[in-house]
Amino acid sequence: MSDDNEVQPPSGRGGPGVPEAVVEAKSRISIVWLIPILAVLIGAFLSYRAIMERGPTITIRFETGEGLQAGKTTVRYKDIEVGQVTDVVLEKGLVGVIVTAQLNTGAEDYLTDETRFWVVRATVSAGQVSGIGTIFSGAYIGMEPSTEGKRTRTFTGLEVAPVVTRDQPGAHFTLRSENLGSFNLGAPIYYRKIRVGQVVAYELDETGEFVTVEVFVRAPHDKRVFQNTRFWDASGFDVSLGAEGVKIDSPSIVSMLFGGVAFDTSPGVQASDPPEADHVFELYPNRQASLEKKYTEFAYFLSYFDGSVQGLVPGSPVMFRGIRIGEVVDLNIEYSPEKVEFSIPVLMKLEPQRIDVTAADLEEERPIFALVARGLRAQLTSGSLLTGQLQVELDIHPEAPPATVDMSGRYPAIPTIPRSIEELTTGIAAIVDKLEELPIEEIGQEVVKSLKALNSTLESTDALLDPDGPTRRELTRAIAEMAQAARSARLLAEYLEQHPEALVRGKEQ
Amino acid sequence: MGRFTSRAAGIVAGLLLTGCLGRTPAPVFYTLTVVEPTVTTAAGGADGPVLAIGPAILPSYLDRPQLVSRQGNRVSYAQYSRWAAPLESELLRVMGANLGSLLRTNRVVVYPAEPRLPVAFRIRLQVEQFDGSPGGEVVLNVRWAIARPGSKEPDVIGASEIRQPVAGSEDDDLVDAHSQAVGALSREIAERIRSLSD
């Protein structure tokens, strides 16, 4: 408003009789503006609410998008819907798919780098059928929340559903095996034929020599695993032929067909400590093998034999005073052009752990030198007279000609002694021993006893033949009766022959 | 055909009827008798020599129960007069009794009984003929042997032929003559044994 627009009175300004209009300054913002501002505020609040209630949006990377559909596939935890897939797109480079999923509110706390996602599809595998429901409902994304670890919104999905979820009570153990055997993921773990767990994972270790198998044992059975517990592959069945006959050890049908792992703690052995977290158990190929002592330390030795080694094969036992301490690994023939001689190097694998050393620690690095100096020699002996199998016998022969360990080759060579002489002498010694064992005195006593018994037998025979004895008497009578009967028969026949009519007419008068 | 069958059946039935109606007469049984008086223990028979009598070998024609009568070479058997026991055992029994009396001993063992005592004499007999005819005579023709144990061959071998007249024509007389003949033989043998033991 300006003065120019108003009509001025003639008297000029501020005449005393004319009240002057008071000019009031108008407020700058109109009240009308309040309404849009309010609307904006409400809108902002509403959108904040909407965002807050929407929950976090995450992305998961999968190898394949099979069965995943935007707007349809759900994310579930314990079969309760916790979110929905909003977008499925190909990854850059076309290697995988990126799944965007909208989770419900409250899921933020459980989204860490430990959280696992996987796709649940219907699977029929060894001994179990899972996810049947997904045939009708379609695949869904399973979630295993975790509060540990760093928070994140980007995940890599598991290709295979985890066999065991973290919330199951129990313990994981690591087994080491030479090969995987015949079981698969999810194969059952048996304790006394009760199913107590599953195979969770397996992988080849870095060296490629072993397969590491991870198993899960449910509580409370995980308490039955000790450091000396032995695991074995319970697939198939064991047929062992022993001195007691044929023995068949079979697990359940399921594990026979689909494989499985059984464990037990050796009877008689005191339950030892629970295993440490990084304890690696040996997985034995079968129960029998698990019961046998397993040795992990080997020492290789050579022995050169001059004569024939027919009957000696890789696997033939190496004995020390009757106890098996190793086996033959390899046989060969060596020809020495200088000496024009053949010799047969036999490579033996010994298991030093079989020998308890009484001293706390061996001072010498290789006690073999001292032993050979004392007379340790290798020798071929027959393991079985029946099959002609040979074995290598190690023993101390103090009378043997002195020899030393030959270290020229790759393996130390234990000197040998010939076979025949020794066997002959031991044979003679054995015969002498047998003779000494003969119980001459007892035999004498037995002979006396036998003679006495014979005597009494003869006496009783005498009594039997005694003319007054009932036997003899009855015999005599019986013979006489027989003679009488024969006589009567003869007379009758004679009479009838002379008088056949007597049959009809009787005897003549 | 039918007529023939019925006729044959009738004949057979008639024969059977007559046969069944006929009665076989009961036979008469005889034994030999001891002619010498029995010597008892009280009379000193306990200390006599031990005699073993038997066995005796009889010809086959005598090995039957019927009494045998002879006419020259013809023998006939009396169907209803029979020895009560086989003639061999009768002969030995009576011989033993006779010899026991004659040699004044109870220690006589007759075959097939076994002697339990050291036998002094064993007497064996081989009969050649022992029959007769009623009204005629009984002939006992015997070879005998007396053996003492320890000697390989018999000490005495003898032969006797005893002829005993039969007093009557009945079978009883014939049997009595048989007993007398055995008595006579016993006396002959007893005589030889006495001469051996002296």
Side-chain angles (χ1 to χ4, degrees), chain A residues 134-417:
Chain A
T134 61
I135 291 174
F136 306 105
S137 66
Y140 62 86
I141 294 178
M143 171 187 178
E144 191 191 4
S146 170
T147 54
E148 290 160 23
K150 262 177 28 191
R151 292 203 173 189
T152 178
R153 294 285 162 94
T154 315
F155 303 92
T156 301
L158 303 175
E159 286 314 305
V160 184
V163 176
V164 177
T165 51
R166 285 200 196 92
D167 54 341
Q168 274 182 279
H172 291 258
F173 300 102
T174 309
L175 314 182
R176 194 179 68 167
S177 166
E178 283 183 10
N179 56 48
L180 184 57
S182 48
F183 53 85
N184 216 319
L185 268 193
I189 311 289
Y190 292 98
Y191 178 71
R192 294 177 194 270
K193 308 221 166 151
I194 294 174
R195 193 171 174 151
V196 297
Q198 282 173 309
V199 171
V200 179
Y202 57 83
E203 61 179 6
L204 214 57
D205 76 344
E206 297 87 10
T207 60
E209 277 182 43
F210 294 102
V211 176
T212 308
V213 180
E214 196 182 332
V215 299
F216 175 79
V217 179
R218 285 200 308 273
H221 307 291
D222 57 333
K223 298 284 177 290
R224 308 196 196 288
V225 178
F226 300 96
Q227 278 184 14
N228 62 353
T229 296
R230 287 155 194 270
F231 288 81
W232 67 89
D233 186 350
S235 320
F237 53 89
D238 291 342
V239 179
S240 54
L241 185 65
E244 68 274 16
V246 179
K247 198 174 132 193
I248 298 176
D249 193 0
S250 77
S252 74
I253 293 289
V254 172
S255 67
M256 207 193 284
L257 293 177
F258 302 114
V261 175
F263 72 89
D264 201 354
T265 306
S266 303
V269 179
Q270 287 291 316
S272 67
D273 301 326
E276 288 152 26
D278 57 349
H279 189 89
V280 175
F281 293 92
E282 197 75 29
L283 178 62
Y284 296 93
N286 53 52
R287 181 185 169 83
Q288 195 57 40
S290 81
L291 295 176
E292 282 169 7
K293 283 194 175 175
K294 185 93 179 184
Y295 299 99
T296 49
E297 258 181 47
F298 304 111
Y300 291 88
F301 291 100
L302 265 182
S303 275
Y304 289 91
F305 292 99
D306 297 329
S308 163
V309 294
Q310 186 174 6
L312 197 70
V313 292
S316 293
V318 177
M319 313 289 281
F320 181 77
R321 293 187 179 169
I323 297 173
R324 187 189 172 121
I325 59 164
E327 61 179 28
V328 172
V329 182
D330 196 15
L331 300 165
N332 216 336
I333 298 180
E334 270 186 22
Y335 176 66
S336 154
E338 302 127 43
K339 293 191 225 163
V340 199
E341 264 179 10
F342 288 99
S343 66
I344 297 169
V346 173
L347 183 62
M348 299 172 286
K349 181 171 85 170
L350 303 188
E351 291 156 353
Q353 283 170 320
R354 286 183 188 265
I355 302 166
D356 286 337
V357 181
T358 47
D361 54 307
L362 275 172
E363 287 178 13
E364 289 172 88
E365 184 64 25
R366 312 212 68 161
I368 188 74
F369 293 102
L371 285 170
V372 169
R374 282 281 307 281
L376 182 75
R377 298 288 184 274
Q379 182 188 24
L380 292 175
T381 58
S382 31
S384 160
L385 284 176
L386 209 61
T387 58
Q389 288 283 304
L390 282 188
Q391 60 188 24
V392 178
E393 175 95 36
L394 293 177
D395 204 351
I396 310 279
H397 297 273
E399 77 284 357
T404 53
V405 182
D406 179 9
M407 294 296 289
S408 58
R410 191 176 158 201
Y411 303 105
I414 298 174
T416 59
I417 54 173

Side-chain angles (χ1 to χ4, degrees), chain B residues 27-30 65-68 77-83 171 175:
Chain B
V28 181
F29 293 99
Y30 296 96
Q66 291 90 349
L67 286 191
V68 181
Y77 301 109
Q79 216 41 257
Y80 299 105
S81 302
R82 303 189 164 207
W83 295 111
D171 283 342
V175 169

Side-chain angles (χ1 to χ4, degrees), chain A residues 466-468 472 476 480 484 487 490-491 494-495 498-499 503-509, chain B residues 15-16 18-20 22-25 62-66 79-80 82 86-87 114 116:
Chain A
D466 180 20
D468 283 342
R472 176 73 182 275
T476 317
Q484 287 271 1
R487 192 166 179 258
R490 173 169 61 83
L491 291 170
E494 212 170 68
Y495 185 82
Q498 290 162 16
H499 309 281
L503 267 182
V504 179
R505 290 166 55 183
K507 275 187 175 180
E508 62 193 8
Q509 299 288 327
Chain B
L15 283 173
L16 280 173
T18 49
C20 291
R23 266 187 86 109
T24 306
L62 288 176
D63 186 17
R64 56 188 63 230
Q66 291 90 349
Q79 216 41 257
Y80 299 105
R82 303 189 164 207
L87 195 55
E114 290 275 327
R116 283 310 133 63

